[in-house]
Amino acid sequence: MSLRYRDRVVIVTGGSKGIGKGIVKVFVDNGAKVVFCARGAEAGEALEAELNKAGPGCCKFIPCDVSKEEDIKRLVTSTVDTYGYIDCLVNNAGWHPPHKSTDETSADEFRDLLNLNLVSYFLASKYALPYLRQREGNIINVSSLVATIGQLDAAPYVATKGGIISMTKAMAVDESRYKVRVNCISPGNVRTPLWEDLAAQTPDAAATLKAGEDSQLIGRMGTEEEIGLTALYLAADATFCTGIDLLFSGGAELNYGYKNRIP
Ligand SMILES: NC(=O)c1ccc[n+]([C@@H]2O[C@H](COP(=O)([O-])OP(=O)(O)OC[C@H]3O[C@@H](n4cnc5c(N)ncnc54)[C@H](OP(=O)(O)O)[C@@H]3O)[C@@H](O)[C@H]2O)c1
């Protein structure tokens, strides 16, 4: 099999689990040199060892909390110190808090989520761009389908994800002068630890998971490998795409559903 991203250097934030893990694995499978981060070292180091054993690319785990600007700076400088250049930045680390109404949500909760889900994407882009410009590289931002279709009792989350799509378009315009592409993937339902944690907080986790599976026309959730391949497509193949929002949704947004919430 030909290697579609051989020797390219990629940063993936939040790469130890879930969607980020799928992206790290697909890039390593395709010959890339990947630096990925998360807060928890155990899962990161285990994945690093597993993928370096398998090859053909390689990876390096760096503990980093993307809600801290100094950590983001260190992630970028360590990548350049290790591999010399950066071809692709995947902004993925983020969180969906348990569902809560607007009345129950504080300003500080909103600000903290904004910092984690949106400002971190801005800062990682800001510090990686000087290197991406040298390589005509690209940025891939992981947003969410709910940025476009909305979601019940999740206004701050939906707002942060909408901001990611808008910022993607703004940076695509700005960075075009350096031939850097900036794109976005919006996942619908992907079975990850985050999805399972949220389901576990509902009265019937198994029923919530089943409803999640049944929300797609394709009749199941997306997999970590499928989203990895979608990111690889944007990085390696979609060289005429910039500023796009690629829905990774299994058709979840199509057709009418039962939506009347009036008591
Ligand atoms: N799963 C879905 O259905 C879905 C749908 C739409 C959008 N998304 C988006 O996709 C992205 C990934 O979601 P996921 O479902 O894969 O989540 P996940 O299963 O919770 O994995 C998140 C990853 O990010 C890391 N992370 C979390 N907070 C971090 C921080 N402050 N600094 C650095 N790393 C951090 C986690 O490791 P540590 O906890 O050890 O830090 C983990 O590696 C998020 O932006 C999410 O909003 C997911």
Side-chain angles (χ1 to χ4, degrees):
M1 198 181 74
S2 69
L3 301 179
R4 290 163 62 198
Y5 223 51
R6 186 202 292 260
D7 292 336
R8 302 292 188 95
V9 176
V10 183
I11 297 177
V12 181
T13 68
S16 67
K17 299 176 202 160
I19 286 174
K21 179 180 175 182
I23 294 173
V24 172
K25 184 170 184 326
V26 165
F27 277 101
V28 171
D29 286 348
N30 280 274
K33 300 169 180 175
V34 182
V35 173
F36 67 100
C37 78
R39 293 160 307 174
E42 200 179 321
E45 284 166 4
L47 184 65
E48 178 188 59
E50 178 195 323
L51 296 183
N52 280 332
K53 203 168 154 204
C58 58
C59 65
K60 181 180 158 90
F61 170 71
I62 294 181
C64 153
D65 180 345
V66 296
S67 65
K68 298 182 178 146
E69 185 166 357
E70 287 310 311
D71 279 23
I72 295 175
K73 271 191 202 171
R74 191 169 45 79
L75 175 67
V76 171
T77 51
S78 304
T79 303
V80 176
D81 290 347
T82 307
Y83 293 127
Y85 52 91
I86 308 173
D87 294 290
C88 178
L89 165 67
V90 183
N91 283 311
N92 162 74
W95 185 53
H96 191 312
H99 293 261
K100 254 201 306 196
S101 70
T102 293
D103 308 71
E104 296 167 307
T105 303
S106 71
D108 280 343
E109 285 171 328
F110 196 126
R111 285 189 197 100
D112 287 349
L113 196 67
L114 199 60
N115 188 47
L116 172 62
N117 282 4
L118 181 60
V119 179
S120 72
Y121 281 33
F122 173 78
L123 291 175
S125 303
K126 171 177 164 153
Y127 293 117
L129 272 166
Y131 302 100
L132 291 169
R133 289 171 189 150
Q134 292 170 17
R135 303 273 299 173
E136 298 183 7
N138 72 104
I139 297 174
I140 299 168
N141 293 321
V142 177
S143 175
S144 170
L145 175 63
V146 301
T148 304
I149 66 171
Q151 189 179 37
L152 183 68
D153 288 340
Y157 178 79
V158 171
T160 63
K161 292 296 175 178
I164 290 168
I165 297 174
S166 300
M167 188 173 73
T168 298
K169 292 173 198 249
M171 282 195 186
V173 174
D174 290 343
E175 297 309 317
S176 61
R177 63 194 132 186
Y178 304 105
K179 300 187 180 172
V180 171
R181 295 179 298 113
V182 186
N183 291 302
C184 185
I185 301 177
S186 282
N189 292 308
V190 185
R191 181 131 182 203
T192 65
L194 173 62
W195 216 109
E196 288 172 2
D197 287 350
L198 286 167
Q201 290 167 35
T202 63
D204 184 346
T208 305
L209 281 164
K210 176 78 171 77
E213 302 283 358
D214 290 339
S215 294
Q216 285 66 237
L217 295 180
I218 289 179
R220 60 174 175 82
M221 294 197 203
T223 67
E224 293 174 5
E225 186 188 15
E226 284 172 315
I227 198 150
L229 289 167
T230 303
L232 181 65
Y233 163 74
L234 283 179
D237 305 324
T239 49
F240 200 56
C241 292
T242 193
I244 70 162
D245 175 28
L246 200 164
L247 297 190
F248 179 85
S249 67
E253 71 284 5
L254 301 177
N255 205 0
Y256 286 109
Y258 186 89
K259 293 179 182 173
N260 186 354
R261 311 198 65 81
I262 299 168

